[in-house]
Amino acid sequence: MTCNPEFQTDRKKEMMAVHDAMDVLNGKWKIYIISSICHYNKRRFSDILNDVIGISNKMLSKELKELEVNKLIKRTVLDTHPVTVQYELTKHGKTLQTIINDLTDWGIRHRREITGKE
Amino acid sequence: MTCNPEFQTDRKKEMMAVHDAMDVLNGKWKIYIISSICHYNKRRFSDILNDVIGISNKMLSKELKELEVNKLIKRTVLDTHPVTVQYELTKHGKTLQTIINDLTDWGIRHRREITGKE
DNA sequence: CCGGATCCCTTGCGATACTG
DNA sequence: CAGTATCGCAAGGGATCCGG
C-alpha cells in the first residue's frame, strides 16, 4: 500500500472534511430538527417543539442556534403579538437533504441486515 | 400541509432509520477507524492504533467491538506468535463507503460556505 | 411565544496500569 | 500484541423556573 506524504495529507484532508460534516450534524436532535423544517418548508419554534418528540425547549433553542451559525437555517422573527419565530432551510441547508435521504436508506438496509439474520 | 396518520408514521419510520444509521456511526473515532480499515482493506489492531491519531487502545477496542456487533467489520485472529488480529470490512460495511464519501464532499463544500463568505 | 439561566445527573472519553 | 480494569474529569443533556 502506498505510503507517500501526499497520500497522507490527502487522507488527512478527507478526515477533516468528514469531521466538519459530522460536527454540523452532531447533537442528539439536529437531524430531526432539520427534517422537520425541511418537510414543512417553514416552521415555527413551538411547532418544531411538537414535531421532535422528546426535545426540550432548551435543547431546541441551542441546536437551532448552532444550525444558524452553520448557515443551514435562517431565522426570522415575525412581527406578531406575541412574537413568533420562523425557521427555514437556507440554500446551503438544503444540500443536506440528499445526505439525510441516503442515511435514511442505509439505516433501513442496516436494520434489515441486523434483525433479519439473527 | 398534510397531517394524516399515515404520513405521521412514515415520518417516524424515517426518523428511526436515520437514528439507526447515526447510532452506528456514533463515537468519536468510528469513521476514522472504518476509513483506515477500508483504505488498507485488511488492517491489524496496532496498525489502526497508529493510523487513527490520538485514539487510545481502550477506545479502539471498544469501538471496534461495536462495529463488529453491527456487522460492519469482521474480526480474524491470526495464528501467529504473539497473536495478531486482523480487521476488514464486511460486504455490509462496504456499503457505508458511499455515505462517507458523500459526507466528505459535503464537508468540503460546507467549509467553503462557512469560511469563504465571512 | 421564544428562549435564557440554573441545577444536577448521566455519559463519553482519556490516562494509566495490568493480563494472556 | 491485543485487549481489560479502574479511576476521574468534562461535556451533554433533562427539568424547571424566569424574563422580554
mmCIF file with all atom_site columns, all heavy atoms in Angstrom, chain D residues 5-14:
data_model
loop_
_atom_site.group_PDB
_atom_site.id
_atom_site.type_symbol
_atom_site.label_atom_id
_atom_site.label_alt_id
_atom_site.label_comp_id
_atom_site.label_asym_id
_atom_site.label_entity_id
_atom_site.label_seq_id
_atom_site.pdbx_PDB_ins_code
_atom_site.Cartn_x
_atom_site.Cartn_y
_atom_site.Cartn_z
_atom_site.occupancy
_atom_site.B_iso_or_equiv
_atom_site.pdbx_formal_charge
_atom_site.auth_seq_id
_atom_site.auth_comp_id
_atom_site.auth_asym_id
_atom_site.auth_atom_id
_atom_site.pdbx_PDB_model_num
ATOM 1   P P     . DA D 1 5  ? -12.588 -6.769 32.207 1.00 0.00 ? 5  DA D P     1
ATOM 2   O OP1   . DA D 1 5  ? -12.996 -7.928 33.023 1.00 0.00 ? 5  DA D OP1   1
ATOM 3   O OP2   . DA D 1 5  ? -13.603 -6.010 31.450 1.00 0.00 ? 5  DA D OP2   1
ATOM 4   O "O5'" . DA D 1 5  ? -11.781 -5.754 33.141 1.00 0.00 ? 5  DA D "O5'" 1
ATOM 5   C "C5'" . DA D 1 5  ? -10.543 -6.149 33.716 1.00 0.00 ? 5  DA D "C5'" 1
ATOM 6   C "C4'" . DA D 1 5  ? -10.194 -5.214 34.866 1.00 0.00 ? 5  DA D "C4'" 1
ATOM 7   O "O4'" . DA D 1 5  ? -9.353  -4.133 34.372 1.00 0.00 ? 5  DA D "O4'" 1
ATOM 8   C "C3'" . DA D 1 5  ? -11.394 -4.540 35.524 1.00 0.00 ? 5  DA D "C3'" 1
ATOM 9   O "O3'" . DA D 1 5  ? -11.148 -4.418 36.922 1.00 0.00 ? 5  DA D "O3'" 1
ATOM 10  C "C2'" . DA D 1 5  ? -11.463 -3.176 34.829 1.00 0.00 ? 5  DA D "C2'" 1
ATOM 11  C "C1'" . DA D 1 5  ? -9.992  -2.880 34.537 1.00 0.00 ? 5  DA D "C1'" 1
ATOM 12  N N9    . DA D 1 5  ? -9.754  -2.118 33.318 1.00 0.00 ? 5  DA D N9    1
ATOM 13  C C8    . DA D 1 5  ? -10.355 -2.299 32.095 1.00 0.00 ? 5  DA D C8    1
ATOM 14  N N7    . DA D 1 5  ? -9.930  -1.475 31.170 1.00 0.00 ? 5  DA D N7    1
ATOM 15  C C5    . DA D 1 5  ? -8.979  -0.704 31.811 1.00 0.00 ? 5  DA D C5    1
ATOM 16  C C6    . DA D 1 5  ? -8.158  0.352  31.370 1.00 0.00 ? 5  DA D C6    1
ATOM 17  N N6    . DA D 1 5  ? -8.164  0.824  30.128 1.00 0.00 ? 5  DA D N6    1
ATOM 18  N N1    . DA D 1 5  ? -7.305  0.920  32.265 1.00 0.00 ? 5  DA D N1    1
ATOM 19  C C2    . DA D 1 5  ? -7.304  0.445  33.525 1.00 0.00 ? 5  DA D C2    1
ATOM 20  N N3    . DA D 1 5  ? -8.024  -0.548 34.047 1.00 0.00 ? 5  DA D N3    1
ATOM 21  C C4    . DA D 1 5  ? -8.854  -1.081 33.130 1.00 0.00 ? 5  DA D C4    1
ATOM 22  P P     . DT D 1 6  ? -12.293 -3.850 37.919 1.00 0.00 ? 6  DT D P     1
ATOM 23  O OP1   . DT D 1 6  ? -12.209 -4.636 39.173 1.00 0.00 ? 6  DT D OP1   1
ATOM 24  O OP2   . DT D 1 6  ? -13.575 -3.744 37.198 1.00 0.00 ? 6  DT D OP2   1
ATOM 25  O "O5'" . DT D 1 6  ? -11.748 -2.393 38.238 1.00 0.00 ? 6  DT D "O5'" 1
ATOM 26  C "C5'" . DT D 1 6  ? -10.348 -2.208 38.485 1.00 0.00 ? 6  DT D "C5'" 1
ATOM 27  C "C4'" . DT D 1 6  ? -10.004 -0.740 38.583 1.00 0.00 ? 6  DT D "C4'" 1
ATOM 28  O "O4'" . DT D 1 6  ? -9.720  -0.213 37.259 1.00 0.00 ? 6  DT D "O4'" 1
ATOM 29  C "C3'" . DT D 1 6  ? -11.099 0.162  39.174 1.00 0.00 ? 6  DT D "C3'" 1
ATOM 30  O "O3'" . DT D 1 6  ? -10.555 0.896  40.254 1.00 0.00 ? 6  DT D "O3'" 1
ATOM 31  C "C2'" . DT D 1 6  ? -11.494 1.078  38.006 1.00 0.00 ? 6  DT D "C2'" 1
ATOM 32  C "C1'" . DT D 1 6  ? -10.209 1.113  37.201 1.00 0.00 ? 6  DT D "C1'" 1
ATOM 33  N N1    . DT D 1 6  ? -10.373 1.461  35.771 1.00 0.00 ? 6  DT D N1    1
ATOM 34  C C2    . DT D 1 6  ? -9.515  2.379  35.220 1.00 0.00 ? 6  DT D C2    1
ATOM 35  O O2    . DT D 1 6  ? -8.618  2.924  35.832 1.00 0.00 ? 6  DT D O2    1
ATOM 36  N N3    . DT D 1 6  ? -9.745  2.635  33.884 1.00 0.00 ? 6  DT D N3    1
ATOM 37  C C4    . DT D 1 6  ? -10.743 2.072  33.094 1.00 0.00 ? 6  DT D C4    1
ATOM 38  O O4    . DT D 1 6  ? -10.843 2.376  31.924 1.00 0.00 ? 6  DT D O4    1
ATOM 39  C C5    . DT D 1 6  ? -11.592 1.140  33.751 1.00 0.00 ? 6  DT D C5    1
ATOM 40  C C7    . DT D 1 6  ? -12.696 0.493  32.988 1.00 0.00 ? 6  DT D C7    1
ATOM 41  C C6    . DT D 1 6  ? -11.382 0.868  35.045 1.00 0.00 ? 6  DT D C6    1
ATOM 42  P P     . DC D 1 7  ? -11.507 1.831  41.175 1.00 0.00 ? 7  DC D P     1
ATOM 43  O OP1   . DC D 1 7  ? -11.065 1.682  42.573 1.00 0.00 ? 7  DC D OP1   1
ATOM 44  O OP2   . DC D 1 7  ? -12.918 1.625  40.810 1.00 0.00 ? 7  DC D OP2   1
ATOM 45  O "O5'" . DC D 1 7  ? -11.072 3.284  40.681 1.00 0.00 ? 7  DC D "O5'" 1
ATOM 46  C "C5'" . DC D 1 7  ? -9.681  3.638  40.671 1.00 0.00 ? 7  DC D "C5'" 1
ATOM 47  C "C4'" . DC D 1 7  ? -9.501  4.974  39.985 1.00 0.00 ? 7  DC D "C4'" 1
ATOM 48  O "O4'" . DC D 1 7  ? -9.733  4.818  38.564 1.00 0.00 ? 7  DC D "O4'" 1
ATOM 49  C "C3'" . DC D 1 7  ? -10.457 6.073  40.463 1.00 0.00 ? 7  DC D "C3'" 1
ATOM 50  O "O3'" . DC D 1 7  ? -9.706  7.186  40.949 1.00 0.00 ? 7  DC D "O3'" 1
ATOM 51  C "C2'" . DC D 1 7  ? -11.299 6.402  39.232 1.00 0.00 ? 7  DC D "C2'" 1
ATOM 52  C "C1'" . DC D 1 7  ? -10.408 5.944  38.081 1.00 0.00 ? 7  DC D "C1'" 1
ATOM 53  N N1    . DC D 1 7  ? -11.163 5.539  36.874 1.00 0.00 ? 7  DC D N1    1
ATOM 54  C C2    . DC D 1 7  ? -10.823 6.079  35.622 1.00 0.00 ? 7  DC D C2    1
ATOM 55  O O2    . DC D 1 7  ? -9.900  6.902  35.560 1.00 0.00 ? 7  DC D O2    1
ATOM 56  N N3    . DC D 1 7  ? -11.516 5.693  34.520 1.00 0.00 ? 7  DC D N3    1
ATOM 57  C C4    . DC D 1 7  ? -12.505 4.803  34.632 1.00 0.00 ? 7  DC D C4    1
ATOM 58  N N4    . DC D 1 7  ? -13.148 4.442  33.524 1.00 0.00 ? 7  DC D N4    1
ATOM 59  C C5    . DC D 1 7  ? -12.870 4.230  35.893 1.00 0.00 ? 7  DC D C5    1
ATOM 60  C C6    . DC D 1 7  ? -12.180 4.626  36.977 1.00 0.00 ? 7  DC D C6    1
ATOM 61  P P     . DG D 1 8  ? -10.426 8.344  41.798 1.00 0.00 ? 8  DG D P     1
ATOM 62  O OP1   . DG D 1 8  ? -9.462  8.815  42.819 1.00 0.00 ? 8  DG D OP1   1
ATOM 63  O OP2   . DG D 1 8  ? -11.787 7.895  42.182 1.00 0.00 ? 8  DG D OP2   1
ATOM 64  O "O5'" . DG D 1 8  ? -10.569 9.480  40.692 1.00 0.00 ? 8  DG D "O5'" 1
ATOM 65  C "C5'" . DG D 1 8  ? -9.492  9.758  39.802 1.00 0.00 ? 8  DG D "C5'" 1
ATOM 66  C "C4'" . DG D 1 8  ? -9.976  10.674 38.703 1.00 0.00 ? 8  DG D "C4'" 1
ATOM 67  O "O4'" . DG D 1 8  ? -10.602 9.878  37.652 1.00 0.00 ? 8  DG D "O4'" 1
ATOM 68  C "C3'" . DG D 1 8  ? -11.046 11.675 39.157 1.00 0.00 ? 8  DG D "C3'" 1
ATOM 69  O "O3'" . DG D 1 8  ? -10.742 12.957 38.651 1.00 0.00 ? 8  DG D "O3'" 1
ATOM 70  C "C2'" . DG D 1 8  ? -12.328 11.134 38.549 1.00 0.00 ? 8  DG D "C2'" 1
ATOM 71  C "C1'" . DG D 1 8  ? -11.800 10.505 37.272 1.00 0.00 ? 8  DG D "C1'" 1
ATOM 72  N N9    . DG D 1 8  ? -12.680 9.504  36.687 1.00 0.00 ? 8  DG D N9    1
ATOM 73  C C8    . DG D 1 8  ? -13.433 8.564  37.364 1.00 0.00 ? 8  DG D C8    1
ATOM 74  N N7    . DG D 1 8  ? -14.130 7.795  36.569 1.00 0.00 ? 8  DG D N7    1
ATOM 75  C C5    . DG D 1 8  ? -13.829 8.256  35.295 1.00 0.00 ? 8  DG D C5    1
ATOM 76  C C6    . DG D 1 8  ? -14.288 7.824  34.027 1.00 0.00 ? 8  DG D C6    1
ATOM 77  O O6    . DG D 1 8  ? -15.071 6.905  33.771 1.00 0.00 ? 8  DG D O6    1
ATOM 78  N N1    . DG D 1 8  ? -13.728 8.580  32.987 1.00 0.00 ? 8  DG D N1    1
ATOM 79  C C2    . DG D 1 8  ? -12.843 9.602  33.155 1.00 0.00 ? 8  DG D C2    1
ATOM 80  N N2    . DG D 1 8  ? -12.410 10.223 32.060 1.00 0.00 ? 8  DG D N2    1
ATOM 81  N N3    . DG D 1 8  ? -12.407 10.024 34.340 1.00 0.00 ? 8  DG D N3    1
ATOM 82  C C4    . DG D 1 8  ? -12.941 9.309  35.349 1.00 0.00 ? 8  DG D C4    1
ATOM 83  P P     . DC D 1 9  ? -11.455 14.255 39.392 1.00 0.00 ? 9  DC D P     1
ATOM 84  O OP1   . DC D 1 9  ? -10.493 14.735 40.407 1.00 0.00 ? 9  DC D OP1   1
ATOM 85  O OP2   . DC D 1 9  ? -12.847 13.933 39.765 1.00 0.00 ? 9  DC D OP2   1
ATOM 86  O "O5'" . DC D 1 9  ? -11.500 15.298 38.186 1.00 0.00 ? 9  DC D "O5'" 1
ATOM 87  C "C5'" . DC D 1 9  ? -10.441 15.339 37.258 1.00 0.00 ? 9  DC D "C5'" 1
ATOM 88  C "C4'" . DC D 1 9  ? -10.993 15.378 35.833 1.00 0.00 ? 9  DC D "C4'" 1
ATOM 89  O "O4'" . DC D 1 9  ? -11.746 14.180 35.556 1.00 0.00 ? 9  DC D "O4'" 1
ATOM 90  C "C3'" . DC D 1 9  ? -11.943 16.555 35.575 1.00 0.00 ? 9  DC D "C3'" 1
ATOM 91  O "O3'" . DC D 1 9  ? -11.483 17.261 34.440 1.00 0.00 ? 9  DC D "O3'" 1
ATOM 92  C "C2'" . DC D 1 9  ? -13.301 15.896 35.318 1.00 0.00 ? 9  DC D "C2'" 1
ATOM 93  C "C1'" . DC D 1 9  ? -12.893 14.527 34.802 1.00 0.00 ? 9  DC D "C1'" 1
ATOM 94  N N1    . DC D 1 9  ? -13.909 13.459 34.987 1.00 0.00 ? 9  DC D N1    1
ATOM 95  C C2    . DC D 1 9  ? -14.508 12.885 33.855 1.00 0.00 ? 9  DC D C2    1
ATOM 96  O O2    . DC D 1 9  ? -14.187 13.289 32.726 1.00 0.00 ? 9  DC D O2    1
ATOM 97  N N3    . DC D 1 9  ? -15.428 11.910 34.020 1.00 0.00 ? 9  DC D N3    1
ATOM 98  C C4    . DC D 1 9  ? -15.748 11.492 35.253 1.00 0.00 ? 9  DC D C4    1
ATOM 99  N N4    . DC D 1 9  ? -16.655 10.532 35.373 1.00 0.00 ? 9  DC D N4    1
ATOM 100 C C5    . DC D 1 9  ? -15.154 12.062 36.420 1.00 0.00 ? 9  DC D C5    1
ATOM 101 C C6    . DC D 1 9  ? -14.247 13.042 36.239 1.00 0.00 ? 9  DC D C6    1
ATOM 102 P P     . DA D 1 10 ? -11.946 18.820 34.352 1.00 0.00 ? 10 DA D P     1
ATOM 103 O OP1   . DA D 1 10 ? -10.716 19.630 34.212 1.00 0.00 ? 10 DA D OP1   1
ATOM 104 O OP2   . DA D 1 10 ? -12.932 19.119 35.412 1.00 0.00 ? 10 DA D OP2   1
ATOM 105 O "O5'" . DA D 1 10 ? -12.712 18.844 32.964 1.00 0.00 ? 10 DA D "O5'" 1
ATOM 106 C "C5'" . DA D 1 10 ? -12.323 17.937 31.921 1.00 0.00 ? 10 DA D "C5'" 1
ATOM 107 C "C4'" . DA D 1 10 ? -13.486 17.780 30.959 1.00 0.00 ? 10 DA D "C4'" 1
ATOM 108 O "O4'" . DA D 1 10 ? -14.358 16.718 31.419 1.00 0.00 ? 10 DA D "O4'" 1
ATOM 109 C "C3'" . DA D 1 10 ? -14.348 19.030 30.826 1.00 0.00 ? 10 DA D "C3'" 1
ATOM 110 O "O3'" . DA D 1 10 ? -14.648 19.223 29.460 1.00 0.00 ? 10 DA D "O3'" 1
ATOM 111 C "C2'" . DA D 1 10 ? -15.592 18.696 31.654 1.00 0.00 ? 10 DA D "C2'" 1
ATOM 112 C "C1'" . DA D 1 10 ? -15.682 17.179 31.458 1.00 0.00 ? 10 DA D "C1'" 1
ATOM 113 N N9    . DA D 1 10 ? -16.337 16.460 32.541 1.00 0.00 ? 10 DA D N9    1
ATOM 114 C C8    . DA D 1 10 ? -16.256 16.719 33.878 1.00 0.00 ? 10 DA D C8    1
ATOM 115 N N7    . DA D 1 10 ? -16.947 15.884 34.622 1.00 0.00 ? 10 DA D N7    1
ATOM 116 C C5    . DA D 1 10 ? -17.515 15.021 33.693 1.00 0.00 ? 10 DA D C5    1
ATOM 117 C C6    . DA D 1 10 ? -18.364 13.905 33.837 1.00 0.00 ? 10 DA D C6    1
ATOM 118 N N6    . DA D 1 10 ? -18.802 13.464 35.018 1.00 0.00 ? 10 DA D N6    1
ATOM 119 N N1    . DA D 1 10 ? -18.753 13.277 32.713 1.00 0.00 ? 10 DA D N1    1
ATOM 120 C C2    . DA D 1 10 ? -18.309 13.725 31.525 1.00 0.00 ? 10 DA D C2    1
ATOM 121 N N3    . DA D 1 10 ? -17.514 14.753 31.272 1.00 0.00 ? 10 DA D N3    1
ATOM 122 C C4    . DA D 1 10 ? -17.151 15.362 32.414 1.00 0.00 ? 10 DA D C4    1
ATOM 123 P P     . DA D 1 11 ? -15.262 20.613 28.959 1.00 0.00 ? 11 DA D P     1
ATOM 124 O OP1   . DA D 1 11 ? -14.202 21.292 28.194 1.00 0.00 ? 11 DA D OP1   1
ATOM 125 O OP2   . DA D 1 11 ? -15.938 21.322 30.084 1.00 0.00 ? 11 DA D OP2   1
ATOM 126 O "O5'" . DA D 1 11 ? -16.379 20.133 27.930 1.00 0.00 ? 11 DA D "O5'" 1
ATOM 127 C "C5'" . DA D 1 11 ? -16.122 18.984 27.133 1.00 0.00 ? 11 DA D "C5'" 1
ATOM 128 C "C4'" . DA D 1 11 ? -17.398 18.199 26.918 1.00 0.00 ? 11 DA D "C4'" 1
ATOM 129 O "O4'" . DA D 1 11 ? -17.795 17.563 28.145 1.00 0.00 ? 11 DA D "O4'" 1
ATOM 130 C "C3'" . DA D 1 11 ? -18.591 19.067 26.475 1.00 0.00 ? 11 DA D "C3'" 1
ATOM 131 O "O3'" . DA D 1 11 ? -19.118 18.503 25.280 1.00 0.00 ? 11 DA D "O3'" 1
ATOM 132 C "C2'" . DA D 1 11 ? -19.569 18.990 27.653 1.00 0.00 ? 11 DA D "C2'" 1
ATOM 133 C "C1'" . DA D 1 11 ? -19.202 17.634 28.282 1.00 0.00 ? 11 DA D "C1'" 1
ATOM 134 N N9    . DA D 1 11 ? -19.515 17.515 29.700 1.00 0.00 ? 11 DA D N9    1
ATOM 135 C C8    . DA D 1 11 ? -19.112 18.340 30.710 1.00 0.00 ? 11 DA D C8    1
ATOM 136 N N7    . DA D 1 11 ? -19.550 17.975 31.897 1.00 0.00 ? 11 DA D N7    1
ATOM 137 C C5    . DA D 1 11 ? -20.287 16.834 31.643 1.00 0.00 ? 11 DA D C5    1
ATOM 138 C C6    . DA D 1 11 ? -21.010 15.960 32.474 1.00 0.00 ? 11 DA D C6    1
ATOM 139 N N6    . DA D 1 11 ? -21.112 16.129 33.792 1.00 0.00 ? 11 DA D N6    1
ATOM 140 N N1    . DA D 1 11 ? -21.632 14.915 31.898 1.00 0.00 ? 11 DA D N1    1
ATOM 141 C C2    . DA D 1 11 ? -21.529 14.750 30.567 1.00 0.00 ? 11 DA D C2    1
ATOM 142 N N3    . DA D 1 11 ? -20.889 15.500 29.687 1.00 0.00 ? 11 DA D N3    1
ATOM 143 C C4    . DA D 1 11 ? -20.283 16.536 30.290 1.00 0.00 ? 11 DA D C4    1
ATOM 144 P P     . DG D 1 12 ? -20.477 19.142 24.634 1.00 0.00 ? 12 DG D P     1
ATOM 145 O OP1   . DG D 1 12 ? -20.373 18.990 23.158 1.00 0.00 ? 12 DG D OP1   1
ATOM 146 O OP2   . DG D 1 12 ? -20.739 20.462 25.245 1.00 0.00 ? 12 DG D OP2   1
ATOM 147 O "O5'" . DG D 1 12 ? -21.592 18.126 25.148 1.00 0.00 ? 12 DG D "O5'" 1
ATOM 148 C "C5'" . DG D 1 12 ? -21.388 16.716 24.935 1.00 0.00 ? 12 DG D "C5'" 1
ATOM 149 C "C4'" . DG D 1 12 ? -22.661 15.987 25.278 1.00 0.00 ? 12 DG D "C4'" 1
ATOM 150 O "O4'" . DG D 1 12 ? -22.807 15.916 26.716 1.00 0.00 ? 12 DG D "O4'" 1
ATOM 151 C "C3'" . DG D 1 12 ? -23.930 16.645 24.755 1.00 0.00 ? 12 DG D "C3'" 1
ATOM 152 O "O3'" . DG D 1 12 ? -24.811 15.608 24.337 1.00 0.00 ? 12 DG D "O3'" 1
ATOM 153 C "C2'" . DG D 1 12 ? -24.457 17.416 25.960 1.00 0.00 ? 12 DG D "C2'" 1
ATOM 154 C "C1'" . DG D 1 12 ? -24.008 16.541 27.131 1.00 0.00 ? 12 DG D "C1'" 1
ATOM 155 N N9    . DG D 1 12 ? -23.720 17.258 28.363 1.00 0.00 ? 12 DG D N9    1
ATOM 156 C C8    . DG D 1 12 ? -22.987 18.413 28.488 1.00 0.00 ? 12 DG D C8    1
ATOM 157 N N7    . DG D 1 12 ? -22.876 18.820 29.734 1.00 0.00 ? 12 DG D N7    1
ATOM 158 C C5    . DG D 1 12 ? -23.583 17.872 30.459 1.00 0.00 ? 12 DG D C5    1
ATOM 159 C C6    . DG D 1 12 ? -23.813 17.774 31.868 1.00 0.00 ? 12 DG D C6    1
ATOM 160 O O6    . DG D 1 12 ? -23.441 18.532 32.750 1.00 0.00 ? 12 DG D O6    1
ATOM 161 N N1    . DG D 1 12 ? -24.586 16.656 32.188 1.00 0.00 ? 12 DG D N1    1
ATOM 162 C C2    . DG D 1 12 ? -25.053 15.740 31.277 1.00 0.00 ? 12 DG D C2    1
ATOM 163 N N2    . DG D 1 12 ? -25.766 14.730 31.761 1.00 0.00 ? 12 DG D N2    1
ATOM 164 N N3    . DG D 1 12 ? -24.838 15.821 29.960 1.00 0.00 ? 12 DG D N3    1
ATOM 165 C C4    . DG D 1 12 ? -24.106 16.905 29.631 1.00 0.00 ? 12 DG D C4    1
ATOM 166 P P     . DG D 1 13 ? -26.113 15.943 23.469 1.00 0.00 ? 13 DG D P     1
ATOM 167 O OP1   . DG D 1 13 ? -26.372 14.810 22.572 1.00 0.00 ? 13 DG D OP1   1
ATOM 168 O OP2   . DG D 1 13 ? -25.951 17.311 22.925 1.00 0.00 ? 13 DG D OP2   1
ATOM 169 O "O5'" . DG D 1 13 ? -27.252 15.972 24.571 1.00 0.00 ? 13 DG D "O5'" 1
ATOM 170 C "C5'" . DG D 1 13 ? -27.483 14.795 25.353 1.00 0.00 ? 13 DG D "C5'" 1
ATOM 171 C "C4'" . DG D 1 13 ? -28.271 15.149 26.595 1.00 0.00 ? 13 DG D "C4'" 1
ATOM 172 O "O4'" . DG D 1 13 ? -27.486 15.963 27.474 1.00 0.00 ? 13 DG D "O4'" 1
ATOM 173 C "C3'" . DG D 1 13 ? -29.567 15.948 26.343 1.00 0.00 ? 13 DG D "C3'" 1
ATOM 174 O "O3'" . DG D 1 13 ? -30.621 15.259 26.957 1.00 0.00 ? 13 DG D "O3'" 1
ATOM 175 C "C2'" . DG D 1 13 ? -29.302 17.284 27.034 1.00 0.00 ? 13 DG D "C2'" 1
ATOM 176 C "C1'" . DG D 1 13 ? -28.376 16.829 28.136 1.00 0.00 ? 13 DG D "C1'" 1
ATOM 177 N N9    . DG D 1 13 ? -27.622 17.900 28.776 1.00 0.00 ? 13 DG D N9    1
ATOM 178 C C8    . DG D 1 13 ? -26.909 18.902 28.157 1.00 0.00 ? 13 DG D C8    1
ATOM 179 N N7    . DG D 1 13 ? -26.355 19.733 28.999 1.00 0.00 ? 13 DG D N7    1
ATOM 180 C C5    . DG D 1 13 ? -26.725 19.246 30.247 1.00 0.00 ? 13 DG D C5    1
ATOM 181 C C6    . DG D 1 13 ? -26.433 19.730 31.542 1.00 0.00 ? 13 DG D C6    1
ATOM 182 O O6    . DG D 1 13 ? -25.762 20.708 31.857 1.00 0.00 ? 13 DG D O6    1
ATOM 183 N N1    . DG D 1 13 ? -27.006 18.940 32.541 1.00 0.00 ? 13 DG D N1    1
ATOM 184 C C2    . DG D 1 13 ? -27.780 17.820 32.315 1.00 0.00 ? 13 DG D C2    1
ATOM 185 N N2    . DG D 1 13 ? -28.243 17.178 33.387 1.00 0.00 ? 13 DG D N2    1
ATOM 186 N N3    . DG D 1 13 ? -28.056 17.361 31.099 1.00 0.00 ? 13 DG D N3    1
ATOM 187 C C4    . DG D 1 13 ? -27.507 18.122 30.127 1.00 0.00 ? 13 DG D C4    1
ATOM 188 P P     . DG D 1 14 ? -32.127 15.462 26.422 1.00 0.00 ? 14 DG D P     1
ATOM 189 O OP1   . DG D 1 14 ? -32.537 14.257 25.671 1.00 0.00 ? 14 DG D OP1   1
ATOM 190 O OP2   . DG D 1 14 ? -32.224 16.794 25.781 1.00 0.00 ? 14 DG D OP2   1
ATOM 191 O "O5'" . DG D 1 14 ? -32.937 15.498 27.784 1.00 0.00 ? 14 DG D "O5'" 1
ATOM 192 C "C5'" . DG D 1 14 ? -32.889 14.361 28.661 1.00 0.00 ? 14 DG D "C5'" 1
ATOM 193 C "C4'" . DG D 1 14 ? -33.371 14.774 30.043 1.00 0.00 ? 14 DG D "C4'" 1
ATOM 194 O "O4'" . DG D 1 14 ? -32.389 15.647 30.660 1.00 0.00 ? 14 DG D "O4'" 1
ATOM 195 C "C3'" . DG D 1 14 ? -34.696 15.537 30.059 1.00 0.00 ? 14 DG D "C3'" 1
ATOM 196 O "O3'" . DG D 1 14 ? -35.538 15.013 31.076 1.00 0.00 ? 14 DG D "O3'" 1
ATOM 197 C "C2'" . DG D 1 14 ? -34.287 16.985 30.342 1.00 0.00 ? 14 DG D "C2'" 1
ATOM 198 C "C1'" . DG D 1 14 ? -33.019 16.806 31.164 1.00 0.00 ? 14 DG D "C1'" 1
ATOM 199 N N9    . DG D 1 14 ? -32.070 17.900 31.025 1.00 0.00 ? 14 DG D N9    1
ATOM 200 C C8    . DG D 1 14 ? -31.485 18.353 29.863 1.00 0.00 ? 14 DG D C8    1
ATOM 201 N N7    . DG D 1 14 ? -30.665 19.352 30.046 1.00 0.00 ? 14 DG D N7    1
ATOM 202 C C5    . DG D 1 14 ? -30.710 19.579 31.412 1.00 0.00 ? 14 DG D C5    1
ATOM 203 C C6    . DG D 1 14 ? -30.040 20.538 32.199 1.00 0.00 ? 14 DG D C6    1
ATOM 204 O O6    . DG D 1 14 ? -29.244 21.416 31.829 1.00 0.00 ? 14 DG D O6    1
ATOM 205 N N1    . DG D 1 14 ? -30.360 20.426 33.559 1.00 0.00 ? 14 DG D N1    1
ATOM 206 C C2    . DG D 1 14 ? -31.230 19.507 34.076 1.00 0.00 ? 14 DG D C2    1
ATOM 207 N N2    . DG D 1 14 ? -31.436 19.533 35.381 1.00 0.00 ? 14 DG D N2    1
ATOM 208 N N3    . DG D 1 14 ? -31.872 18.596 33.347 1.00 0.00 ? 14 DG D N3    1
ATOM 209 C C4    . DG D 1 14 ? -31.566 18.692 32.022 1.00 0.00 ? 14 DG D C4    1
#
